[in-house]
Amino acid sequence: MDFSKLDGLIAAVIQDHITGRVLMVGFMNEEAFRNTVETGFATFYSRSRNKLWLKGETSGHRLVVKEIATDCDRDALLIKVEALGPGVCHEGYESCFFRKLDNGAWVESEARAYDPASVYGSNS
Amino acid sequence: MDFSKLDGLIAAVIQDHITGRVLMVGFMNEEAFRNTVETGFATFYSRSRNKLWLKGETSGHRLVVKEIATDCDRDALLIKVEALGPGVCHEGYESCFFRKLDNGAWVESEARAYDPASVYGSNS
């Protein structure tokens, strides 16, 4: 893998292994990628917190790795997962991609799958 | 959209609008995103060439935009497309994600969809 293009990070696309829905995009440094492969749970590098982030550490909504692919440039990953829990997005949606562009405006295109306050607490 | 996190760029995941297959990941700056929305053809920002890049400009394998979604942080795009031509990848494959991790080694998991030399010339 080529970690040189984005300050040590590569983009990781997370896709539901059965439905094919794209659930989120995260970033991994080399350590996050190694942890993902070794543990079988998707682990990212948080750019805002500057540390490794096991997805589901707080919520329990872990991503169980089913298949890992890389692209021609080896600077992106496509990871097919089984998503534990009702939703991947910390805002309560099944997928982080819950807004669609509709005549120039971003419109929420689905209902929440769970109440984020009950999972993350009311302040997060 | 928040273009501040990756030096003015956001990640754009390109997904076949019918099969759901993830075809490639590219990056867009604000101008590339605006061009994509206005023209209906996916346009990226090439990090290696430092300029806008209309996908399919050379090959004719353009990406016709069918739907655009953004994520909770507004720093990534999911673009569903109709891919013109036999393959999206400049190496001749239907998808850039043609290598899978198999017991610690990257293995090509599919045959080429076209001969890249006949499309791009033998030197590219």
Side-chain angles (χ1 to χ4, degrees):
Chain A
M1 298 299 302
D2 179 359
F3 288 92
S4 68
K5 288 186 195 164
L6 283 178
D7 305 325
L9 302 177
I10 54 175
V13 179
I14 304 297
Q15 185 178 32
D16 186 287
H17 76 121
I18 291 177
T19 67
R21 182 164 193 195
V22 174
L23 301 174
M24 62 175 284
V25 173
F27 289 85
M28 294 183 181
N29 62 4
E30 198 158 359
E31 188 182 3
F33 174 57
R34 198 167 52 235
N35 283 14
T36 297
V37 172
E38 289 176 359
T39 66
F41 294 105
T43 304
F44 302 96
Y45 183 81
S46 168
R47 296 176 290 167
S48 54
R49 290 176 289 164
N50 289 314
K51 62 172 194 170
L52 287 194
W53 160 50
L54 169 65
K55 170 69 184 164
E57 202 165 16
T58 304
S59 65
H61 302 168
R62 294 194 184 199
L63 302 173
V64 181
V65 174
K66 297 290 186 181
E67 184 184 288
I68 300 179
T70 189
D71 69 347
C72 43
D73 298 328
R74 300 187 187 228
D75 62 0
L77 293 168
L78 174 62
I79 303 183
K80 295 188 181 177
V81 303
E82 177 190 353
L84 305 183
V88 160
C89 183
H90 73 291
E91 293 194 22
Y93 298 88
E94 182 198 3
S95 164
C96 291
F97 292 97
F98 60 84
R99 284 191 197 92
K100 288 182 186 163
L101 195 60
D102 184 6
N103 285 315
W106 295 110
V107 177
E108 287 190 18
S109 52
E110 64 192 80
R112 280 198 166 89
Y114 69 94
D115 173 15
S118 71
V119 171
Y120 296 98
S122 56
N123 292 320
S124 64
Chain B
M1 298 300 300
D2 179 359
F3 289 91
S4 68
K5 288 186 194 164
L6 284 177
D7 305 326
L9 302 176
I10 53 176
V13 179
I14 304 298
Q15 184 178 33
D16 186 286
H17 76 121
I18 290 176
T19 67
R21 183 163 192 195
V22 174
L23 301 173
M24 61 175 284
V25 173
F27 289 85
M28 294 183 181
N29 62 4
E30 197 159 0
E31 190 183 359
F33 174 57
R34 198 168 50 234
N35 283 16
T36 297
V37 172
E38 288 175 0
T39 67
F41 295 105
T43 304
F44 302 97
Y45 183 81
S46 168
R47 295 175 291 166
S48 54
R49 292 176 287 164
N50 289 314
K51 62 172 194 171
L52 286 194
W53 161 50
L54 170 65
K55 169 70 183 163
E57 201 164 16
T58 303
S59 65
H61 302 167
R62 293 195 184 198
L63 302 173
V64 182
V65 173
K66 297 291 186 179
E67 183 184 289
I68 301 179
T70 190
D71 70 346
C72 43
D73 297 328
R74 298 188 189 228
D75 61 0
L77 293 169
L78 173 62
I79 303 183
K80 294 189 181 176
V81 303
E82 177 190 353
L84 304 183
V88 160
C89 183
H90 73 290
E91 294 194 20
Y93 297 88
E94 183 198 4
S95 164
C96 292
F97 291 96
F98 60 85
R99 285 191 197 93
K100 288 181 187 165
L101 196 60
D102 184 8
N103 283 318
W106 294 111
V107 176
E108 287 189 20
S109 52
E110 65 192 79
R112 280 199 166 88
Y114 68 95
D115 173 15
S118 71
V119 171
Y120 294 99
S122 56
N123 293 320
S124 65

